[in-house]
Amino acid sequence: MRFRSWRTVACALALCAPVGMASTSAVANNAGEIAATPDMPFDLQTVAKFEAPWAIAPMPDETLLISGKSGRLWHVDGASVTEVAGVPQVSYNGQNGFLDVAVAEDFADTGAVYFTYVSPENALVLARARLDSNVLVDIEQLWTQSPGGRGQPGGIIAFGADGFLYLTVGDRMQPDTAQMADNARGKVLRLTRDGAAAPDNPDAAGGGTRAMVWSSGHRNPYGLVFGPDGTLWLHEMGPRGGDELNQIKRGGNYGWPLVSNGRQYSGASIPDHNTRPEFLAPSLWWTPVIAPAGLAWYKGDAFAGWHDTMLIGALAGQGLVQIAGDGQSQINRWDLGFRVRDVAVTDAGAVYILEDGTQGRLMRLIAK
Ligand SMILES: [Ca+2]
């Protein structure tokens, strides 16, 4: 309310731009220049340490699954950690390995978990299995990337209220492929629970890979989440500068590698988003980068003022970033002093973060 009052006063004094102009301005929405919030409204409680942990998947009973990039999976119940058997063989190097895990909404009836990994052939794979007494059984490969690729796999899973599964695929360090309709790299795919193209996708009639595409022009997305109103949010790492938070729309093209608010690693410039209005611009972006990893929606009341905000883990940014529910502003960035690989919120509203590294900590946020 305070901000609304300020806007009203400022607009009365003719100090503010029209809302539409402000929300698409490349300069106004660089959250990378906002200073960290000095006061932390939480303490961090270490639950356990894991070898190269990657993702947190909350279970309906408030226990957690933790994936490990080298091809490991753990079930965490309070302070008790049990290794889950049956993880398929993965290619573990650089950013590749065993990646995301997502527990099906009907897990209580089916025991189904979905997961992604980079195969020994360097293809991103979406798979499903049944978790039975801490063993993955009946593993089915639902979708396998062809051709595979190098690093930057993406691999984040989100379930839509429409019954379909949304999957991020990184550009695999071959940027031009993000604009190729018949290549899965640099896309969000929208699939049936069995890994086929959703029948009402934008190019469903085209068949093959293009029939699976929901949005295109992404670089390296390690965050994908639905808001309570059904809006889909994605973040992706830019090159040198230009990390992005994007609201994902059906058939949208988000511009990579033709536009970016960052630069090439060589220092060569890339046209900014505002030079090519046909590409959807990020609602927020970060230069210098935070290297976003993990994206969760906070639903509970344990943390004052957090309801209906987004939380982003930051690798290079070494902390936790909080975004307003409309995606238009960064509320807080807390400097934690270590690389955050993932953030998750359980059904009961508990918040966990995962430290990146060979011995990464799973930590629970305790409201002060
Ligand atoms: Ca973009």
Side-chain angles (χ1 to χ4, degrees):
M1 289 308 269
R2 216 174 41 203
F3 293 109
R4 187 164 298 168
S5 303
W6 160 241
R7 170 169 282 281
T8 305
V9 171
C11 290
L13 297 170
L15 292 174
C16 79
V19 170
M21 185 184 293
S23 66
T24 56
S25 159
V27 175
N29 288 303
N30 181 11
E33 293 178 341
I34 301 174
T37 305
D39 297 326
M40 273 194 282
F42 52 83
D43 292 316
L44 291 174
Q45 179 185 75
T46 298
V47 178
K49 280 188 182 182
F50 299 94
E51 176 197 307
W54 207 85
I56 307 166
M59 307 273 288
D61 63 357
E62 293 292 303
T63 64
L64 306 171
L65 293 176
I66 306 292
S67 65
K69 214 164 55 161
S70 67
R72 303 181 72 179
L73 184 64
W74 298 275
H75 190 181
V76 180
D77 184 355
S80 163
V81 177
T82 306
E83 181 145 12
V84 174
V87 175
Q89 193 185 353
V90 305
S91 169
Y92 173 43
N93 62 78
Q95 295 188 24
N96 295 340
F98 191 52
L99 302 174
D100 202 16
V101 180
V103 178
E105 306 97 317
D106 60 359
F107 177 84
D109 296 325
T110 63
V113 295
Y114 292 76
F115 51 94
T116 55
Y117 61 96
V118 177
S119 73
E121 296 76 31
N122 281 320
L124 179 68
V125 176
L126 170 69
R128 175 175 56 204
R130 206 158 45 75
L131 183 63
D132 184 357
S133 303
N134 287 323
V135 182
L136 291 178
V137 298
D138 302 337
I139 295 176
E140 302 167 85
Q141 292 191 0
L142 304 176
W143 176 79
T144 300
Q145 181 177 33
S146 178
R150 295 152 65 187
Q152 298 182 178
I156 305 294
I157 298 164
F159 299 122
D162 56 10
F164 296 110
L165 183 153
Y166 293 70
L167 173 68
T168 71
V169 185
D171 75 355
R172 309 302 311 266
M173 304 174 78
Q174 290 172 277
D176 291 348
T177 60
Q179 293 293 332
M180 295 177 182
D182 289 309
N183 194 307
R185 298 184 196 125
K187 308 295 189 308
V188 172
L189 306 183
R190 180 169 174 262
L191 305 172
T192 69
R193 294 303 171 94
D194 293 325
D200 57 342
N201 277 351
D203 204 356
T209 296
R210 67 169 60 209
M212 300 178 172
V213 172
W214 186 248
S215 65
S216 61
H218 301 294
R219 184 171 179 272
N220 191 21
Y222 286 143
L224 187 71
V225 72
F226 280 96
D229 63 355
T231 305
L232 182 59
W233 295 93
L234 167 150
H235 64 55
E236 56 186 287
M237 295 188 189
R240 197 160 127 182
D243 291 345
E244 299 181 356
L245 177 71
N246 287 304
Q247 182 180 340
I248 298 301
K249 296 184 176 170
R250 181 182 199 274
N253 187 331
Y254 291 79
W256 177 253
L258 302 176
V259 290
S260 169
N261 292 344
R263 290 177 165 269
Q264 303 287 4
Y265 286 107
S266 66
S269 67
I270 306 170
D272 279 355
H273 258 284
N274 59 12
T275 64
R276 296 286 295 272
E278 69 270 37
F279 299 125
L280 294 174
S283 58
L284 281 178
W285 56 281
W286 289 267
T287 299
V289 297
I290 57 169
L295 178 59
W297 204 278
Y298 185 75
K299 306 176 283 273
D301 297 312
F303 298 85
W306 284 27
H307 193 72
D308 278 354
T309 63
M310 279 180 266
L311 299 171
I312 299 176
L315 289 164
Q318 300 206 346
L320 188 64
V321 172
Q322 185 181 36
I323 304 295
D326 64 2
Q328 300 297 316
S329 60
Q330 176 175 300
I331 304 170
N332 286 295
R333 177 172 59 83
W334 292 289
D335 184 358
L336 303 181
F338 57 86
R339 291 162 60 85
V340 177
R341 162 52 62 191
D342 197 17
V343 55
V345 179
T346 70
D347 289 343
V351 182
Y352 292 90
I353 60 172
L354 203 50
E355 180 184 21
D356 188 48
T358 51
Q359 285 293 310
R361 291 168 291 180
L362 171 67
M363 305 174 97
R364 181 172 179 171
L365 275 62
I366 307 294
K368 281 182 179 171

